[in-house]
Amino acid sequence: MTLALLFPGQGSQAPGMGASDFDAFPELVREADEILGYPVRDLCAGQDLRLRDTRYAQPALFVTGALAARSRSERAGRPAFLAGHSLGELTALHVAGCFDFATGVTLAKRRGELMAQATGGGMTAVLGMRAERLRELLAESGEDGVTLANHNLPDQLVLSGPLDALRRIAPLLTADGRVRCVPLNVAVAAHSRHMERAAQEFARTLRGIHLAAPEVPVVANVTARPYGPDEVAELLTRHLVSPVRWWDTLCLLADSGVDRIEETGPGEVLTKMWRKAGPHLAARRAADVRALPTTVVPPAAPPPPPAAPPPPDVRPHRPARSAGGPEHLGSAAFRRDYGTAYAYAAGSLADGVSGPAMLARLAARGLLGFLGTVGRSVEDITADLDRLADVAGPYGLALPTVAAPASHLDEVVRLGLARGLRHAEASAAGGVSEPLVRWRFTGARRGPDGVPVAGRQLLVKVARTAQADAFLAPAPPALVTRLTDRGELTEEEAWAARRLPVAGDVCAESGPGWLTSDLAGPALLPAVLALRDRVGPRHGYAEPPRVGACGGLGDPGSVAAAFLRGADFVLTGSVNQAAPEARTSTAVKELLAGIGVDDTAQAPAEALFELGGRTRVTTAGTLFAARADALHQAYRAHASLDALDATTRRRFEDTIFHEPLAAVWERLREDLTPERRARADRDDRHRMALVMRTYPTRATLLALTGDPRGRRDYQIPCGPAMGAFNDWARDTPFAAPDHRHVDAIALALLEGAAELGAGRPAPAARGARTPSVA
């Protein structure tokens, strides 16, 4: 039998827990008492009200779980897997050897203290409703502060958010009489954006601690997959703000052969979940059997005796190299699957800056580009696709996975499928989602040789190895089952989805980018390549996924370096924004053509303003970054607009908004839906954020239109690659924006990279001899 140990989380604490283990390990108990500053035995023994307090419950649960596991290990065998629900994951990591007992107590104590500081929140169990329907009702309710925190079973979910919001939403969820809402014995809004500050502080704590790789596979709540060797700190930090994917965890355990579990710690909550999951898991397995092909293939003639096997090839997969021109750089399979002449793509640019003119110009030269959709309505995107209808060359669609409602991503995917598009680009920041899996596997099939074939190409930009791991693996089984149950994937498509990676191409974003201020830098590409080389054989892929490079690609040297380090393809971004085909103003293009590598900085991102999300923009010729930072600092320091001191208010009104803040709010209020207006009327802090977010909205519009009156406020997304390109292109035809045609930029970078790869000196910008420059 295959065993998994499961460790419960907060809510399972009860008087008398751990009593049998305290006497067995007195030295560890004394160690815990010294770290905590109080006797943990006394806390757990009686009716101590502190046990309901997050600050005390979390270390108490860790201590009792760790001692129970130690007691068990002295009389039983080694488990195949470990998993913990919420706080229980910390115990599982300790048992797996990631840190010692004292460190675990310290981390549990610190985690509880940080989470307890986020007051006013709570959690509510929702029983008898599916996650898809719950998400629909949450969207309809307008309660933006309430999120899905735990997906325990298909019909057992947990919401997290402010207590008043949870009380308001309960009647909507229970209206049909078949659903129950049960407040939980938890005094915090765990696993939600309300824990953002706690997560930041916990990350600082983790930076000072040595964390070893798990010696036994530990399934992470965030990804529902085993921890990688270098992921402990990152996933423990994300754990505080991410949902607990317990149902997906149970599915992975069952798919991995686990047929017995032991709950190690107080209570039987997880044991009961495992039992309740049994019928659902059986239904999934039956679906898998039904999805297998039923054709009986007659046996072939017996093969001749095999020759002695050659020595095993232990070299990692790398794309074939050639000393030829740019058409031989990178992966031939990438060129084949995307129908492009080069292992190169121009990435999407927000607000439609990479529009039909750019894509048509690229396609005419056999180059791949992606249509920008972030910040665009479905109607705008539809109009762009209409203008691309007659383009015969390769192009794709960006799928807006972040900074937009989930419904918008779903609409864009449905639009792309309806138009018969084959290629898409997305950011991994939004995680593996149903729309992305539907895009990738609609039209998937079993090939003549029995090998699964994906329906479409999906290229995903990743900023962390954990993101790469999620997209290089097959889709979570539970997600595939949901799509199949709803009829959005056929049985054959679902069969392929369980056997192919979610993304056939992942691109390591090894430079400053949106929401990626703490990137691994140049180390990310080789790390993702190594991960791919481990993941492919593990899942038995017939053809390994491809790994590309993006971020900081502004001259032939950086492009050559990416290919020489093993990239299958490259994806450019900033350098294309100054092209004549870019759908932005002439003023912006002229400004970008003069910036240096130091002329960019991180600034508050409009869509994630309240959470502290950042976006990289140019600082040359514009004060946007400084002004947006001033607004965000004021937001963090004040509870409402009325709390702003007179000097700060006057400065904002005179230099940023150019009108009274009250006037900004009144005009904005008229455009809100009734639900959002009601929320803003009762939430002073949210109203302040809405007002301040109008500045980046206006700053983007000013830049796109080139309004000279707002030049000092232009918001121009841009990385240092633009400055690198300017330095390389100095004193060449590319120095002028009018000569920076997007296809000429691509070919010049590729030709220069090919010459560098062949050992010859890098040429100066060859714009003058490239036919498309003029």
Side-chain angles (χ1 to χ4, degrees), residues 465-485:
T465 55
Q467 294 174 343
D469 192 23
F471 281 92
L472 288 171
L479 190 155
V480 176
T481 299
R482 291 196 298 269
L483 291 173
T484 310
D485 290 346

Side-chain angles (χ1 to χ4, degrees), residues 114-190:
L114 291 171
M115 292 179 66
Q117 291 172 11
T119 58
M123 304 180 79
T124 296
V126 181
L127 309 176
M129 180 178 289
R130 295 274 176 164
E132 295 77 14
R133 178 56 179 158
L134 180 59
R135 292 189 181 97
E136 291 174 0
L137 292 175
L138 285 176
E140 292 173 9
S141 73
E143 297 286 357
D144 294 341
V146 178
T147 58
L148 178 61
N150 297 356
H151 189 172
N152 291 331
L153 292 171
D155 57 354
Q156 187 184 119
L157 312 166
V158 177
L159 293 177
S160 185
L163 287 173
D164 57 346
L166 291 172
R167 285 192 289 265
R168 284 194 300 269
I169 203 171
L172 174 65
L173 304 182
T174 59
D176 64 2
R178 292 176 296 179
V179 176
R180 289 194 302 132
C181 288
V182 181
L184 299 183
N185 183 25
V186 178
V188 294

Side-chain angles (χ1 to χ4, degrees), residues 89 366 410 538 647 679 689 743:
E89 187 161 302
D410 189 71
R538 184 194 312 159
T647 302
R679 180 193 170 189
D743 55 333

Side-chain angles (χ1 to χ4, degrees), residues 216-579:
V216 179
V218 179
V219 184
N221 286 180
V222 174
T223 63
R225 298 192 181 280
Y227 272 83
D230 302 316
E231 294 178 343
V232 177
E234 178 190 348
L235 291 183
L236 276 179
T237 301
R238 290 172 56 196
H239 190 246
L240 293 173
V241 295
S242 301
V244 174
R245 295 173 56 184
W246 193 249
W247 167 238
D248 289 340
T249 295
L250 297 181
C251 291
L252 180 134
L253 293 176
D255 291 344
S256 301
V258 171
D259 51 10
R260 185 166 68 91
I261 63 101
E262 287 183 18
E263 187 163 1
T264 311
E268 295 184 334
V269 171
L270 303 184
T271 302
K272 291 176 181 177
M273 284 189 196
W274 175 258
R275 291 171 185 160
K276 290 180 180 178
H280 299 288
L281 295 170
R284 287 178 62 260
R285 285 192 286 271
D288 277 344
V289 171
R290 291 194 303 271
L292 292 174
T294 57
T295 304
V296 178
V297 180
D313 184 357
V314 297
R315 296 170 300 171
H317 168 81
R318 292 290 182 267
R321 302 295 172 212
S322 170
E327 68 277 8
H328 297 292
L329 292 171
S331 166
F334 180 91
R335 300 193 293 271
R336 175 201 69 206
D337 288 349
Y338 286 93
T340 176
Y342 307 94
Y344 175 102
S348 63
L349 299 170
D351 301 299
V353 172
S354 55
M358 181 179 290
L359 269 59
R361 178 97 186 195
L362 288 164
R365 300 293 293 272
L367 290 155
L368 173 66
F370 290 97
L371 181 69
T373 60
V374 173
R376 304 275 287 170
S377 68
V378 172
E379 292 73 20
D380 292 337
I381 299 167
T382 301
D384 285 345
L385 292 176
D386 288 341
R387 286 191 282 272
L388 286 164
D390 295 329
V391 173
Y395 67 89
L397 178 72
L399 303 180
T401 55
V402 291
S407 58
H408 184 58
L409 171 60
D410 189 71
E411 288 180 304
V412 174
V413 166
R414 293 185 188 279
L415 175 60
L417 292 174
R419 291 299 184 101
L421 299 182
R422 310 297 301 177
H423 315 309
E425 171 209 281
S427 167
V432 175
S433 63
E434 290 182 3
L436 293 185
V437 173
R438 191 169 68 248
W439 167 269
R440 170 83 162 140
F441 294 106
T442 296
R445 65 192 187 281
R446 179 185 174 92
D449 54 359
V451 174
V453 179
R456 281 162 173 74
Q457 303 302 324
L458 177 62
L459 185 158
V460 175
K461 295 179 289 185
V462 301
R464 298 173 177 84
T465 55
Q467 294 174 343
D469 192 23
F471 281 92
L472 288 171
L479 190 155
V480 176
T481 299
R482 291 196 298 269
L483 291 173
T484 310
D485 290 346
R486 295 203 302 266
E488 295 183 330
L489 287 181
T490 67
E491 295 291 351
E492 186 175 18
E493 290 166 346
W495 177 84
R498 295 186 178 103
R499 291 159 177 82
L500 289 172
V502 176
D505 302 272
V506 295
C507 195
E509 198 168 9
S510 302
W514 191 56
L515 298 181
T516 54
S517 59
D518 56 345
L519 287 170
L524 184 62
L525 175 59
V528 176
L529 284 165
L531 177 64
R532 184 271 309 276
D533 294 336
R534 295 193 302 271
V535 166
R538 184 194 312 159
H539 294 293
Y541 297 146
E543 184 172 296
R546 294 173 293 254
V547 175
C550 61
L553 301 179
D555 66 299
S558 58
V559 174
F563 282 123
L564 289 170
R565 299 179 77 202
D568 291 305
F569 62 93
V570 294
L571 182 82
T572 57
S574 294
V575 294
N576 302 314
Q577 198 171 185

Side-chain angles (χ1 to χ4, degrees), residues 658-722:
H658 308 293
E659 62 178 327
L661 294 178
V664 176
W665 166 238
E666 288 304 318
R667 188 173 60 257
L668 175 62
R669 189 177 185 277
E670 294 177 2
D671 295 331
L672 297 177
T673 63
E675 294 80 7
R676 295 189 67 192
R677 187 182 306 141
R679 180 193 170 189
D681 284 341
R682 66 176 179 265
D683 187 338
D684 291 343
R685 190 167 173 78
H686 181 59
R687 181 165 66 251
M688 176 168 56
L690 290 177
V691 168
M692 290 180 171
R693 283 171 54 176
T694 63
Y695 174 61
T697 300
R698 179 170 58 88
T700 295
L701 183 61
L702 290 170
L704 292 173
T705 59
D707 188 334
R709 295 169 298 178
R711 189 179 182 93
R712 301 295 292 266
D713 291 303
Y714 286 178
Q715 179 179 201
I716 308 171
C718 184
M722 189 80 255

